[in-house]
Amino acid sequence: MRTSFKVHAALAGGAGALMLLVAGPTLLPGVLPLPSPRFLAVLAGVTVFPLLGWALFRGLFFGGFDRELQWLAFRCLPGRTRLALVALIGAGVALCVLDGAASGSRQNAEVRDGRYVVLETTPGRRGTVEVDRREYEAVREADQRGALTIPGTMLAGTALIVLVTGEARRADGGPVSTTSAAPASGGTRN
């Protein structure tokens, strides 16, 4: 596999792991000193879209392989790499499910004129609602978790796409090596 695939996957996987690592503790009691959800969303957009776009471009226009070849390419990746990527994607999916279960119908926590307000999304009661500081912090933390969990999971998937594409290209690009086969003449191998 070419080094560019490894670097691309390392950037996507590393950024995804970092986002998921920061998002995980937001489920615990207490408030983490994280930047605003808007900043996190911009940061996620700046990292996710270029890395995912390039991965899809590489996969679609340079890969051109079918689903069976993708599975074989995945199985050819080193075991620890496969385990790390599957664990990272699994953790991201689990965090998304937990975030969906923990989040209520309120989002977009803001401070306006010294008051804490959130956007109520319940049908029939949709609009801006004033809340106390505790509710404001809970909604803000849920917004931060969502701004980290979804992009982190997407980046973990991007790393997987890149490595599978790189492995499939490596397998398609060169001749099959017969050096690992047993010698036909019955001699010993050195």
Side-chain angles (χ1 to χ4, degrees):
M1 181 181 324
R2 290 192 343 221
T3 305
S4 67
F5 285 97
K6 293 177 184 177
V7 169
H8 188 176
L11 287 172
L18 182 64
M19 286 182 181
L20 292 174
L21 187 65
V22 172
T26 61
L27 289 168
L28 301 173
V31 179
L32 292 177
L34 294 176
S36 74
R38 288 188 180 134
F39 174 78
L40 294 174
V42 169
L43 180 65
V46 167
T47 56
V48 169
F49 292 116
L51 291 172
L52 180 61
W54 183 242
L56 293 175
F57 181 77
R58 286 178 115 168
L60 292 174
F61 295 110
F62 297 125
F65 49 91
D66 62 2
R67 201 173 279 182
E68 185 176 319
L69 185 58
Q70 291 174 357
W71 176 247
L72 292 173
F74 174 73
R75 290 187 58 202
C76 288
L77 292 174
R80 289 184 181 169
T81 303
R82 283 185 300 186
L83 179 64
L85 288 172
V86 169
L88 194 60
I89 292 170
V93 169
L95 278 172
C96 286
V97 169
L98 289 172
D99 181 39
S103 298
S105 61
R106 295 182 172 182
Q107 59 189 19
N108 244 4
E110 295 181 49
V111 178
R112 290 186 193 162
D113 301 324
R115 299 180 345 211
Y116 300 111
V117 295
V118 297
L119 177 64
E120 177 69 48
T121 59
T122 305
R125 297 187 326 178
R126 187 167 171 80
T128 304
V129 179
E130 187 174 346
V131 295
D132 63 353
R133 182 173 176 82
R134 198 182 97 220
E135 177 73 16
Y136 162 79
E137 288 175 352
V139 171
R140 186 169 191 263
E141 194 167 55
D143 289 346
Q144 291 168 333
R145 185 172 43 251
L148 289 169
T149 302
I150 295 169
T153 306
M154 289 174 65
L155 285 169
T158 300
L160 180 64
I161 290 169
V162 169
L163 289 177
V164 167
T165 302
E167 187 63 27
R169 287 208 44 202
R170 184 194 62 80
D172 281 348
V176 176
S177 174
T178 58
T179 58
S180 62
S185 63
T188 59
R189 288 179 61 180
N190 293 331

